[in-house]
Amino acid sequence: MASSPPGAIPPRPVRPAERYDGPPSYPVPPRWGFPHLAWRVPTAVPGTPSGWPSPVERVRVLHRNAVTILWFLTGLAVVAAGAEFWRYALLVASRTTALHAATVAFSDALEIIASLLTVVFGLLGLGATLWWLLIARAAAAEAAGQEPARSTGEVVAGVLVPGVNLVMAGSILAELEHLVLGRAPVRRPRPSRVVLAWWAAWIANEVLMLLVIGWRFKDGVQAMADSVLLTGLLNVSAAGLAALTAVLVYRLTTLLAPARTDRLRRWQVRSVKGAPAPSLRPARPAGAAR
């Protein structure tokens, strides 16, 4: 075993111990400091390529927005259906008696406002649910380690194209449920009762909508009265479809991401055991300056 002879390697210099002169002092108040931001849990690890939230986290956020819009849509559709049925009752009553002008004006205003709000929230609900569907498919495929059965274009076309969506929309939701439940990809998807009920409500709503559109092209007083009644039934169908969609979105999101972040409180101290008592602040003399 070879070793260096004594004195071949110079000894390391010994640094003298630094003397503590107290806290730093500044001739003027320093202008540097920390930003006025509350501490929060970091969303990304330093050095990772991106801090974009995962698909599961995005599903949680999108499902809350979609469910809120869908329940608002349910209430508006119920009000619009009541307005249409009231107008039909007024039409029936007008055959034998004269109607008060204020009653007719209030009925018209209620029907117009409720119908417009139902259409607006219907478009918002459709967009929010479709966005949730696309992200939920990506999250479910990532969790299962598989590729989605359909492309994004096929999903959008299967939901928005009339006629095609009668068959495709239910199949897309059945495939998503099959993927969320972790079933084998070789097995054929078997939709649950909730998905089947939603599928039936979807078909009934679209058929009623086509029927209402076609009925409005007919002439005659009776055809106009029938269109009012059919519009009320369409609003009832839309309310049921929106409610079932909200339930289905909530159910699939709960299966895909069981942790409900809106019900959790992070970093909450419930009790402290075995810790020493904190030192009390000494009393300030009465004549001391603040």
Side-chain angles (χ1 to χ4, degrees):
M1 179 180 297
S3 60
S4 303
I9 300 177
R12 295 181 179 180
V14 179
R15 299 179 59 183
E18 298 181 358
R19 187 181 62 178
Y20 177 70
D21 296 331
S25 60
Y26 303 93
V28 295
R31 298 181 178 274
W32 58 269
F34 296 102
H36 297 284
L37 296 175
W39 184 88
R40 60 181 183 270
V41 179
T43 57
V45 179
T48 55
S50 175
W52 188 257
S54 62
V56 175
E57 296 175 353
R58 297 176 63 190
V59 165
R60 293 194 184 105
V61 176
L62 293 175
H63 116 273
R64 287 196 295 268
N65 299 335
V67 168
T68 302
I69 295 174
L70 289 171
W71 283 121
F72 270 106
L73 175 60
T74 302
L76 289 173
V78 170
V79 174
E84 293 291 345
F85 291 145
W86 186 23
R87 169 175 283 192
Y88 184 79
L90 292 178
L91 290 176
V92 174
S94 65
R95 299 175 58 184
T96 56
T97 59
L99 301 178
H100 198 278
T103 303
V104 176
F106 182 77
S107 174
D108 293 341
L110 179 62
E111 190 271 336
I112 293 174
I113 294 174
S115 299
L116 289 177
L117 290 178
T118 302
V119 172
V120 171
F121 273 85
L123 295 176
L124 291 176
L126 178 61
T129 306
L130 181 59
W131 192 7
W132 168 87
L133 177 62
L134 297 177
I135 303 302
R137 290 176 66 256
E142 181 180 354
Q146 305 175 14
E147 291 292 333
R150 306 177 190 272
S151 63
T152 303
E154 292 178 352
V155 173
V156 174
V159 174
L160 299 181
V161 176
V164 179
N165 53 13
L166 293 176
V167 180
M168 294 291 295
S171 301
I172 292 171
L173 283 179
E175 293 171 358
L176 176 61
E177 184 186 38
H178 184 87
L179 196 59
V180 168
L181 292 176
R183 295 172 180 171
V186 295
R187 294 178 55 187
R188 184 176 181 179
R190 298 185 61 181
S192 61
R193 294 181 180 179
V194 179
V195 176
L196 290 176
W198 181 91
W199 202 347
W202 174 268
I203 294 175
N205 186 78
E206 186 165 349
V207 170
L208 280 174
M209 182 177 61
L210 296 177
L211 185 61
V212 169
I213 294 175
W215 208 272
R216 290 186 180 274
F217 288 99
K218 291 187 176 183
D219 298 329
V221 179
Q222 186 61 41
M224 296 175 61
D226 293 339
S227 65
V228 172
L229 182 60
L230 290 175
T231 305
L233 295 177
L234 176 60
N235 289 327
V236 173
S237 174
L241 178 61
L244 285 175
T245 306
V247 172
L248 187 60
V249 169
Y250 177 82
R251 178 176 179 270
L252 293 180
T253 304
T254 305
L255 292 174
L256 183 60
R260 294 289 307 278
T261 56
D262 54 345
R263 295 185 179 180
L264 297 178
R265 295 183 178 181
R266 300 182 177 181
W267 315 111
Q268 183 180 12
V269 179
R270 306 302 297 267
S271 62
V272 179
K273 300 179 180 179
S279 58
L280 299 178
R281 183 178 180 181
R284 183 176 59 86
R290 292 186 178 271

Coordinates of all heavy atoms in Angstrom, one line a residue, residues 35-93:
P35 N -42.8 39.5 -1.4 CA -44.1 40.0 -2.0 C -45.3 39.7 -1.1 O -45.3 38.8 -0.2 CB -44.2 39.1 -3.3 CG -43.4 37.9 -3.0 CD -42.2 38.4 -2.1
H36 N -46.3 40.6 -1.2 CA -47.5 40.5 -0.4 C -48.4 39.4 -0.9 O -49.4 39.6 -1.5 CB -48.2 41.8 -0.3 CG -47.4 42.9 0.3 ND1 -47.2 43.0 1.6 CD2 -46.7 43.9 -0.3 CE1 -46.4 44.1 1.9 NE2 -46.1 44.6 0.7
L37 N -48.0 38.1 -0.8 CA -48.8 37.0 -1.2 C -48.9 36.0 -0.1 O -48.0 35.8 0.7 CB -48.1 36.3 -2.4 CG -47.9 37.1 -3.7 CD1 -47.2 36.3 -4.7 CD2 -49.3 37.4 -4.3
A38 N -50.1 35.4 0.0 CA -50.3 34.3 1.0 C -49.6 33.1 0.6 O -49.5 32.7 -0.6 CB -51.8 34.1 1.2
W39 N -49.2 32.3 1.6 CA -48.5 31.1 1.3 C -49.5 30.1 0.7 O -50.7 30.0 1.2 CB -47.9 30.5 2.5 CG -47.1 29.3 2.3 CD1 -45.8 29.2 1.9 CD2 -47.6 27.9 2.4 NE1 -45.4 27.9 1.8 CE2 -46.5 27.1 2.0 CE3 -48.8 27.4 2.7 CZ2 -46.6 25.7 2.0 CZ3 -48.9 26.0 2.7 CH2 -47.8 25.2 2.3
R40 N -49.1 29.3 -0.3 CA -50.0 28.3 -0.8 C -49.2 27.1 -1.2 O -48.0 27.2 -1.3 CB -50.7 28.8 -2.1 CG -49.8 29.3 -3.2 CD -50.6 29.8 -4.4 NE -49.8 30.2 -5.5 CZ -49.3 31.4 -5.7 NH1 -49.5 32.3 -4.8 NH2 -48.5 31.6 -6.7
V41 N -49.9 26.0 -1.3 CA -49.2 24.7 -1.7 C -48.7 24.8 -3.1 O -49.4 25.2 -4.0 CB -50.2 23.5 -1.6 CG1 -49.5 22.2 -2.0 CG2 -50.7 23.5 -0.2
P42 N -47.4 24.5 -3.4 CA -46.9 24.6 -4.8 C -47.6 23.6 -5.7 O -47.9 22.5 -5.3 CB -45.4 24.3 -4.6 CG -45.3 23.5 -3.3 CD -46.4 24.1 -2.4
T43 N -47.9 24.0 -6.9 CA -48.6 23.2 -7.8 C -47.7 22.5 -8.8 O -48.1 21.6 -9.5 CB -49.6 24.1 -8.7 OG1 -48.8 25.1 -9.3 CG2 -50.6 24.7 -7.8
A44 N -46.4 22.7 -8.7 CA -45.4 22.1 -9.6 C -44.1 22.0 -8.9 O -43.8 22.8 -8.1 CB -45.3 22.8 -10.9
V45 N -43.4 20.9 -9.2 CA -42.1 20.7 -8.6 C -41.1 21.5 -9.4 O -41.1 21.4 -10.7 CB -41.7 19.2 -8.6 CG1 -40.3 19.0 -8.0 CG2 -42.8 18.4 -7.8
P46 N -40.1 22.2 -8.8 CA -39.2 23.0 -9.6 C -38.3 22.0 -10.5 O -37.9 21.0 -10.0 CB -38.3 23.7 -8.5 CG -39.2 23.7 -7.3 CD -40.0 22.5 -7.4
G47 N -38.2 22.4 -11.7 CA -37.4 21.6 -12.6 C -38.3 20.7 -13.6 O -37.8 20.2 -14.5
T48 N -39.6 20.6 -13.3 CA -40.5 19.9 -14.1 C -40.8 20.7 -15.4 O -40.7 21.9 -15.3 CB -41.8 19.5 -13.4 OG1 -42.4 20.7 -12.9 CG2 -41.5 18.5 -12.3
P49 N -41.1 20.1 -16.5 CA -41.3 20.8 -17.7 C -42.5 21.8 -17.7 O -42.5 22.8 -18.3 CB -41.5 19.8 -18.8 CG -41.8 18.5 -18.1 CD -41.2 18.6 -16.7
S50 N -43.6 21.5 -16.9 CA -44.7 22.3 -16.9 C -45.5 22.2 -15.6 O -45.5 21.1 -15.0 CB -45.6 22.0 -18.1 OG -46.8 22.7 -18.0
G51 N -46.1 23.3 -15.2 CA -46.9 23.3 -14.0 C -48.4 23.2 -14.3 O -49.2 23.5 -13.5
W52 N -48.8 22.7 -15.5 CA -50.2 22.6 -15.9 C -50.9 21.5 -15.1 O -50.3 20.5 -14.9 CB -50.3 22.3 -17.4 CG -51.7 22.3 -18.0 CD1 -52.5 21.2 -18.2 CD2 -52.4 23.5 -18.3 NE1 -53.7 21.7 -18.7 CE2 -53.7 23.0 -18.8 CE3 -52.2 24.8 -18.3 CZ2 -54.7 23.9 -19.2 CZ3 -53.2 25.7 -18.7 CH2 -54.4 25.2 -19.2
P53 N -52.0 21.8 -14.6 CA -52.7 20.8 -13.7 C -53.0 19.5 -14.5 O -53.2 19.5 -15.7 CB -54.0 21.5 -13.3 CG -54.2 22.6 -14.3 CD -52.9 23.0 -14.7
S54 N -53.1 18.4 -13.7 CA -53.3 17.1 -14.4 C -54.8 17.0 -14.8 O -55.6 17.8 -14.4 CB -53.0 16.0 -13.3 OG -53.9 16.1 -12.2
P55 N -55.1 16.1 -15.7 CA -56.5 16.0 -16.2 C -57.5 15.7 -15.1 O -58.6 16.1 -15.1 CB -56.4 14.8 -17.2 CG -55.0 14.8 -17.7 CD -54.1 15.3 -16.5
V56 N -57.0 14.9 -14.0 CA -58.0 14.6 -13.0 C -58.3 15.9 -12.2 O -59.5 16.1 -11.8 CB -57.3 13.6 -12.0 CG1 -58.2 13.4 -10.8 CG2 -57.1 12.3 -12.7
E57 N -57.3 16.8 -12.0 CA -57.6 18.1 -11.3 C -58.5 18.9 -12.2 O -59.4 19.6 -11.6 CB -56.3 18.8 -11.0 CG -55.5 18.0 -10.0 CD -54.1 18.7 -9.8 OE1 -53.8 19.7 -10.5 OE2 -53.4 18.3 -8.9
R58 N -58.3 18.9 -13.5 CA -59.2 19.7 -14.3 C -60.6 19.1 -14.4 O -61.6 19.9 -14.5 CB -58.6 19.7 -15.7 CG -57.2 20.4 -15.8 CD -56.6 20.3 -17.2 NE -57.5 21.0 -18.2 CZ -57.3 20.9 -19.5 NH1 -56.4 20.1 -20.0 NH2 -58.1 21.6 -20.3
V59 N -60.7 17.8 -14.3 CA -62.1 17.2 -14.2 C -62.8 17.7 -13.0 O -64.0 18.0 -13.1 CB -61.9 15.7 -14.3 CG1 -63.3 15.0 -13.9 CG2 -61.5 15.2 -15.7
R60 N -62.2 17.8 -11.9 CA -62.8 18.2 -10.7 C -63.4 19.7 -10.8 O -64.5 20.0 -10.4 CB -61.9 18.2 -9.5 CG -61.5 16.8 -9.1 CD -60.8 16.8 -7.7 NE -60.3 15.5 -7.3 CZ -59.0 15.2 -7.3 NH1 -58.1 16.0 -7.7 NH2 -58.6 14.0 -6.9
V61 N -62.6 20.5 -11.4 CA -63.0 21.9 -11.6 C -64.1 22.0 -12.6 O -65.1 22.7 -12.4 CB -61.8 22.8 -12.0 CG1 -62.2 24.2 -12.3 CG2 -60.7 22.8 -10.9
L62 N -64.0 21.3 -13.7 CA -65.0 21.4 -14.8 C -66.3 20.8 -14.3 O -67.4 21.3 -14.8 CB -64.4 20.7 -16.0 CG -63.3 21.4 -16.7 CD1 -62.8 20.6 -17.9 CD2 -63.6 22.8 -17.2
H63 N -66.2 19.8 -13.5 CA -67.5 19.1 -13.1 C -68.3 20.0 -12.2 O -69.5 20.0 -12.3 CB -67.2 17.8 -12.5 CG -67.6 17.7 -11.0 ND1 -66.7 18.1 -10.0 CD2 -68.7 17.2 -10.4 CE1 -67.4 17.9 -8.9 NE2 -68.5 17.4 -9.1
R64 N -67.6 20.8 -11.4 CA -68.4 21.8 -10.5 C -69.0 22.8 -11.4 O -70.2 23.2 -11.1 CB -67.4 22.4 -9.5 CG -67.0 21.5 -8.4 CD -66.4 22.2 -7.3 NE -65.1 22.9 -7.7 CZ -63.9 22.4 -7.5 NH1 -63.8 21.2 -7.0 NH2 -62.9 23.1 -7.9
N65 N -68.3 23.3 -12.4 CA -69.0 24.4 -13.2 C -70.1 23.8 -14.0 O -71.2 24.4 -14.1 CB -67.9 24.9 -14.2 CG -66.8 25.6 -13.5 OD1 -66.9 26.0 -12.3 ND2 -65.6 25.7 -14.1
A66 N -69.9 22.6 -14.6 CA -71.0 22.0 -15.4 C -72.2 21.6 -14.5 O -73.4 21.9 -15.0 CB -70.5 20.7 -16.1
V67 N -72.0 21.1 -13.4 CA -73.2 20.7 -12.5 C -73.9 21.9 -12.1 O -75.2 21.9 -12.1 CB -72.7 19.9 -11.3 CG1 -73.8 19.7 -10.3 CG2 -72.2 18.5 -11.8
T68 N -73.2 23.0 -11.7 CA -73.9 24.3 -11.3 C -74.8 24.8 -12.5 O -75.9 25.2 -12.3 CB -72.9 25.3 -10.9 OG1 -72.1 24.8 -9.8 CG2 -73.6 26.6 -10.4
I69 N -74.2 24.8 -13.7 CA -75.0 25.4 -14.8 C -76.2 24.4 -15.1 O -77.3 24.9 -15.4 CB -74.1 25.5 -16.0 CG1 -73.0 26.6 -15.8 CG2 -74.9 25.9 -17.3 CD1 -72.0 26.7 -16.9
L70 N -76.0 23.2 -15.0 CA -77.1 22.2 -15.3 C -78.2 22.3 -14.4 O -79.4 22.2 -14.8 CB -76.5 20.8 -15.4 CG -75.6 20.5 -16.6 CD1 -74.9 19.1 -16.4 CD2 -76.4 20.5 -17.9
W71 N -77.9 22.5 -13.1 CA -79.0 22.7 -12.1 C -79.8 24.0 -12.3 O -81.0 24.1 -12.1 CB -78.5 22.6 -10.7 CG -78.2 21.1 -10.3 CD1 -77.0 20.6 -9.9 CD2 -79.2 20.0 -10.2 NE1 -77.1 19.3 -9.6 CE2 -78.4 18.9 -9.8 CE3 -80.5 19.9 -10.5 CZ2 -79.1 17.7 -9.6 CZ3 -81.1 18.7 -10.4 CH2 -80.4 17.6 -9.9
F72 N -79.0 25.1 -12.7 CA -79.7 26.3 -13.0 C -80.6 26.1 -14.3 O -81.7 26.6 -14.3 CB -78.7 27.4 -13.3 CG -78.3 28.2 -12.1 CD1 -77.1 28.0 -11.5 CD2 -79.2 29.1 -11.6 CE1 -76.8 28.8 -10.4 CE2 -78.9 29.9 -10.5 CZ -77.6 29.7 -9.9
L73 N -80.1 25.4 -15.2 CA -80.9 25.1 -16.4 C -82.1 24.3 -16.1 O -83.2 24.5 -16.7 CB -80.0 24.3 -17.4 CG -80.7 23.8 -18.7 CD1 -81.3 25.0 -19.5 CD2 -79.7 23.0 -19.6
T74 N -82.0 23.3 -15.2 CA -83.2 22.6 -14.7 C -84.3 23.5 -14.2 O -85.5 23.3 -14.5 CB -82.8 21.5 -13.7 OG1 -81.7 20.7 -14.3 CG2 -83.9 20.7 -13.3
G75 N -83.9 24.4 -13.3 CA -84.9 25.3 -12.7 C -85.5 26.2 -13.8 O -86.7 26.4 -13.8
L76 N -84.7 26.7 -14.7 CA -85.2 27.6 -15.7 C -86.1 26.8 -16.7 O -87.2 27.4 -17.1 CB -84.1 28.2 -16.5 CG -83.2 29.3 -15.8 CD1 -82.0 29.7 -16.6 CD2 -84.1 30.5 -15.5
A77 N -85.8 25.6 -17.0 CA -86.7 24.8 -17.9 C -88.0 24.5 -17.2 O -89.1 24.5 -17.9 CB -86.0 23.5 -18.3
V78 N -88.0 24.3 -15.9 CA -89.3 24.1 -15.2 C -90.1 25.3 -15.2 O -91.4 25.3 -15.5 CB -89.0 23.6 -13.8 CG1 -90.3 23.6 -12.9 CG2 -88.4 22.2 -13.7
V79 N -89.5 26.5 -15.0 CA -90.3 27.8 -15.1 C -90.8 28.0 -16.5 O -91.9 28.4 -16.7 CB -89.4 28.9 -14.6 CG1 -90.1 30.3 -14.8 CG2 -89.0 28.7 -13.2
A80 N -90.0 27.7 -17.5 CA -90.4 27.9 -18.9 C -91.6 26.9 -19.2 O -92.5 27.3 -19.9 CB -89.2 27.7 -19.9
A81 N -91.5 25.7 -18.7 CA -92.6 24.8 -19.0 C -93.9 25.3 -18.3 O -95.0 25.2 -18.9 CB -92.2 23.4 -18.4
G82 N -93.8 25.8 -17.1 CA -95.0 26.3 -16.4 C -95.5 27.5 -17.2 O -96.8 27.7 -17.3
A83 N -94.7 28.4 -17.7 CA -95.1 29.5 -18.5 C -95.9 29.0 -19.8 O -96.9 29.6 -20.2 CB -94.0 30.4 -18.9
E84 N -95.4 28.0 -20.4 CA -96.0 27.5 -21.6 C -97.4 26.9 -21.3 O -98.4 27.1 -22.0 CB -95.1 26.5 -22.3 CG -93.8 27.0 -22.9 CD -94.1 27.9 -24.1 OE1 -95.2 27.9 -24.7 OE2 -93.1 28.7 -24.5
F85 N -97.4 26.1 -20.2 CA -98.7 25.5 -19.9 C -99.7 26.5 -19.4 O -100.9 26.4 -19.7 CB -98.5 24.5 -18.7 CG -97.7 23.2 -19.2 CD1 -96.8 22.6 -18.3 CD2 -97.9 22.7 -20.4 CE1 -96.2 21.5 -18.7 CE2 -97.2 21.6 -20.8 CZ -96.3 21.0 -20.0
W86 N -99.3 27.6 -18.8 CA -100.2 28.7 -18.4 C -100.7 29.4 -19.6 O -101.9 29.7 -19.7 CB -99.4 29.7 -17.5 CG -100.3 30.7 -16.9 CD1 -101.7 30.7 -16.8 CD2 -99.9 32.0 -16.5 NE1 -102.1 31.9 -16.2 CE2 -101.1 32.7 -16.1 CE3 -98.7 32.7 -16.4 CZ2 -101.0 34.0 -15.5 CZ3 -98.6 34.0 -15.9 CH2 -99.8 34.6 -15.5
R87 N -99.8 29.6 -20.6 CA -100.3 30.2 -21.9 C -101.3 29.3 -22.6 O -102.3 29.8 -23.1 CB -99.1 30.5 -22.8 CG -99.5 30.8 -24.2 CD -98.3 31.2 -25.1 NE -97.9 32.6 -24.7 CZ -97.0 33.2 -25.5 NH1 -96.5 32.7 -26.6 NH2 -96.6 34.4 -25.1
Y88 N -101.1 28.0 -22.5 CA -102.1 27.1 -23.2 C -103.4 27.2 -22.4 O -104.5 27.1 -23.0 CB -101.5 25.7 -23.1 CG -102.4 24.7 -23.9 CD1 -102.4 24.6 -25.2 CD2 -103.2 23.8 -23.1 CE1 -103.2 23.7 -25.9 CE2 -104.1 22.9 -23.8 CZ -104.1 22.8 -25.2 OH -104.9 22.0 -25.8
A89 N -103.3 27.3 -21.1 CA -104.6 27.4 -20.3 C -105.3 28.7 -20.6 O -106.5 28.7 -20.7 CB -104.3 27.3 -18.8
L90 N -104.5 29.8 -20.8 CA -105.2 31.0 -21.2 C -105.8 30.9 -22.6 O -106.9 31.5 -22.9 CB -104.1 32.2 -21.2 CG -103.6 32.5 -19.8 CD1 -102.5 33.6 -19.9 CD2 -104.7 33.0 -18.9
L91 N -105.1 30.2 -23.5 CA -105.7 30.0 -24.8 C -107.0 29.3 -24.8 O -108.0 29.6 -25.5 CB -104.7 29.3 -25.7 CG -103.5 30.1 -26.2 CD1 -102.5 29.2 -27.0 CD2 -103.9 31.3 -27.0
V92 N -107.1 28.2 -23.9 CA -108.3 27.5 -23.8 C -109.4 28.4 -23.1 O -110.6 28.3 -23.6 CB -108.1 26.2 -22.9 CG1 -109.4 25.5 -22.6 CG2 -107.1 25.3 -23.6
A93 N -109.0 29.2 -22.1 CA -110.0 30.0 -21.5 C -110.5 31.1 -22.4 O -111.6 31.6 -22.2 CB -109.4 30.6 -20.2

